[in-house]
Amino acid sequence: MEKRASRRENECEEKNSNSEGSEQDKDYKTSLITLNVGGYLYITQKQTLTKYSDSFLEGIINGRIMCPFDADGHYFIDRDGLLFRHILNFLRNGELLLPEGFRENQLLAQEAEFFQLKVLSDAVKSRWEKEQLASRETTFLEITDSHDRSQGLRIFCNAPDFIAKIKSRIVLVSKSRLDGFPEEFSVSSNIIQFKYFIKSENGTRLVLKEDNTFVCTLETLKFEAIMTALKCGFRLLTSLDCSKGSIVHSDALHFIK
């Protein structure tokens, strides 16, 4: 009798456990929402879509706004399906994070307004205004050479992407291994200060990444910076102390774009 009673208790516990588990699974599944935005399917959680009250998506989920369904029973929203990934990422992260080189600010701002996300709309417009202001600013480049190993070569540019190009061209080689750009040469996103150009360890030096040409002189580094500037559309504005007949030997070079 005791064994039968114990067995029944175990069976009841298993049933209760299974029912609780199935209810949890059901709750989890109902919390997942599939949206069809312009033909692109997005699956996310209900709490993500309802993060901002009074938004278009919150209104759909909570029944305030009527929304049609597609053939598979998913909410259908007739908007830009590709741009919606940025809307969804904003809801997930709480901030505007866009890929490098993004150029569809105006379209994204319109999408943000449609989805009634004022915070996102303001963030996109602010980013757009900053980009327009930056495009009207003149880009300066200055290459100065103190002819002193303790000071070395200094490259300044108010466009961080040019500094990034220089850094991507030069690499540190150590014991047959590419170690990347040596961070001790980088002062900031706008300046590189080559205080020395060959590391003290034996067999370690800087090379040009693509052709593995050894960079053993400041002149070589300066020439590489000049060629990169010309390829990027800079024009030489002034060169100081160019009495030796070569811009590579100038103490200071100024470019503008």
Side-chain angles (χ1 to χ4, degrees):
M1 292 292 290
E2 292 180 358
K3 290 184 178 179
R4 289 181 181 178
S6 176
R7 187 179 300 171
R8 288 177 181 175
E9 289 178 358
N10 291 336
E11 289 176 354
C12 290
E13 289 178 358
E14 289 180 1
K15 288 181 180 179
N16 291 333
S17 175
N18 291 334
S19 63
E20 289 177 0
S22 61
E23 288 178 1
Q24 290 177 354
D25 291 341
K26 185 178 180 181
D27 291 340
Y28 178 74
K29 290 179 180 178
T30 55
S31 71
L32 295 180
I33 306 293
T34 300
L35 300 176
N36 182 342
V37 184
Y40 290 82
L41 294 181
Y42 292 90
I43 301 176
T44 186
Q45 291 183 306
K46 180 179 179 180
Q47 63 188 35
T48 301
L49 299 176
T50 58
K51 185 174 183 178
Y52 290 88
S53 60
D54 298 328
S55 70
F56 181 83
L57 294 169
E58 183 270 336
I60 289 177
I61 300 303
N62 290 330
R64 292 190 298 102
I65 299 175
M66 298 297 295
C67 180
F69 296 90
D70 65 9
D72 295 319
H74 307 314
Y75 290 109
F76 177 76
I77 304 174
D78 191 16
R79 301 299 297 184
D80 193 317
L82 285 175
L83 282 179
F84 186 74
R85 65 182 281 245
H86 305 303
I87 302 289
L88 192 55
N89 282 334
F90 175 78
L91 294 175
R92 290 166 174 161
N93 302 314
E95 60 178 323
L96 178 62
L97 299 172
L98 296 173
E100 184 177 353
F102 183 81
R103 290 291 180 268
E104 297 183 299
N105 293 297
Q106 188 173 4
L107 288 174
L108 183 56
Q110 290 179 345
E111 295 300 297
E113 289 178 0
F114 172 83
F115 287 103
Q116 300 171 19
L117 293 167
K118 187 177 185 305
V119 178
L120 175 58
S121 177
D122 292 343
V124 175
K125 290 177 181 178
S126 176
R127 181 182 187 275
W128 187 16
E129 291 173 357
K130 288 179 181 179
E131 286 186 352
Q132 288 182 321
L133 182 62
S135 65
R136 292 194 294 267
E137 292 180 349
T138 303
T139 305
F140 296 96
L141 168 65
E142 180 183 64
I143 303 173
T144 54
D145 183 358
S146 66
H147 302 283
D148 183 353
R149 283 185 63 88
S150 64
Q151 297 297 323
L153 182 69
R154 180 180 181 273
I155 301 173
F156 167 81
C157 185
N158 61 346
D161 59 336
F162 178 79
I163 298 297
K165 283 185 173 63
I166 296 292
K167 292 175 67 175
S168 68
R169 184 77 174 100
I170 300 169
V171 67
L172 184 70
V173 174
S174 169
K175 298 178 182 179
S176 301
R177 185 179 73 246
L178 298 181
D179 296 329
F181 187 87
E183 290 302 321
E184 62 265 29
F185 291 146
S186 181
V187 177
S188 71
S189 61
N190 298 106
I191 301 173
I192 297 179
Q193 182 83 33
F194 291 97
K195 292 187 177 181
Y196 54 89
F197 44 92
I198 300 178
K199 295 205 61 168
S200 58
E201 293 87 346
N202 291 331
T204 304
R205 60 185 68 201
L206 299 179
V207 301
L208 301 182
K209 185 178 294 185
E210 295 178 4
D211 50 19
N212 286 342
T213 301
F214 285 117
V215 178
C216 298
T217 65
L218 286 176
E219 285 77 13
T220 308
L221 286 171
K222 189 190 297 184
F223 180 76
E224 185 64 27
I226 292 171
M227 293 304 297
T228 302
L230 295 176
K231 290 177 182 178
C232 291
F234 284 90
R235 59 185 178 87
L236 183 63
L237 188 64
T238 61
S239 58
L240 304 179
D241 298 329
C242 191
S243 58
K244 296 182 180 180
S246 171
I247 61 173
V248 174
H249 294 95
S250 299
D251 290 336
L253 296 169
H254 299 93
F255 295 81
I256 195 173
K257 182 167 68 170

